[in-house]
Amino acid sequence: DINFLIIRENNSGLYNGESSVIDNFSRITSQTIQYKSQFLTQILEKLNCIALSREKLITFFSKEYGLRTIHSEIVSLSNEIIDKSIKFNSVNIDYGVVDLINSPQDYDVIFTLDFMGDIITDLLVDIFMGSRLFGFSKNITQNNNMVFQTISGDALDIAGTNSANPIGYLNIIMYLNKLFNFENGILF
């Protein structure tokens, strides 16, 4: 039985960083990655609560030498925030994804940054479920508001054709029914 949870930071980082063209002639561009410790603290506090309710294991997928300061700050904050009964591992994403594919039973709560989480979730849904069409994600705000969405990508090949594959949405409905305990009826 595969039962792991991927928590992907979705409010800062590369996707929300500033981008600029430094030099048009030389075609030099820049994209920044920034994380505030206050924001990372909030994420780690949520991770702590989630891990306490599960198997008490958090694996942080990162690129330690590529993102030195961000990686170091997250590991440092985790030492302050994560309950001592929880095992917190930091794993290089290159190794971690291969190990996760080969030994998914060894993982419980996986935490990673925005762009890495995007790649991991797309890849793993394809591998474990057979297609990105079967996957979905849940986005949670600081106020615990939730938005569910499929992770089927842009589907540019069918854009404007008035067609879609509803399997991802059916999975969301099944998950919501389970999450909110709708035993006598279904949520639409």
Side-chain angles (χ1 to χ4, degrees), residues 125 128-138 148-152 165-179 187-188:
V125 167
F128 290 121
M129 299 181 82
S131 171
R132 289 175 65 193
L133 295 172
F134 297 115
F136 64 92
S137 67
K138 174 173 70 172
F148 295 81
Q149 66 186 34
T150 62
I151 53 173
S152 57
N165 185 337
I167 293 173
Y169 291 104
L170 294 173
N171 282 339
I172 291 172
I173 291 170
M174 290 188 306
Y175 177 75
L176 289 171
N177 286 323
K178 184 176 181 179
L179 179 68
L187 175 70
F188 287 103

Side-chain angles (χ1 to χ4, degrees), residues 80-97:
E80 298 170 22
I81 295 167
I82 302 299
D83 189 273
K84 300 305 175 210
S85 68
I86 297 172
K87 184 175 181 181
F88 185 93
N89 297 322
S90 174
V91 175
N92 184 303
I93 191 167
D94 303 357
Y95 166 79
V97 170

Side-chain angles (χ1 to χ4, degrees), residues 61-68 71 91-94 116:
F61 280 14
S62 182
K63 196 72 171 167
E64 181 177 359
Y65 298 106
L67 299 169
R68 287 183 186 94
H71 176 90
V91 175
N92 184 303
I93 191 167
D94 303 357
M116 288 186 248

Side-chain angles (χ1 to χ4, degrees), residues 5-9 40-54 56-60 74 78 81-83 86 88 108-112:
L5 176 66
I6 298 175
I7 307 293
R8 169 187 161 201
E9 179 285 318
L40 293 172
T41 296
Q42 291 171 346
I43 292 172
L44 289 167
E45 287 170 347
K46 293 241 185 226
L47 280 172
N48 188 64
C49 292
I50 292 167
L52 283 170
S53 70
R54 291 179 54 97
K56 298 186 179 180
L57 172 63
I58 298 172
T59 306
F60 172 44
I74 290 171
S78 74
I81 295 167
I82 302 299
D83 189 273
I86 297 172
F88 185 93
D108 186 44
V109 177
I110 298 164
F111 169 58
T112 191

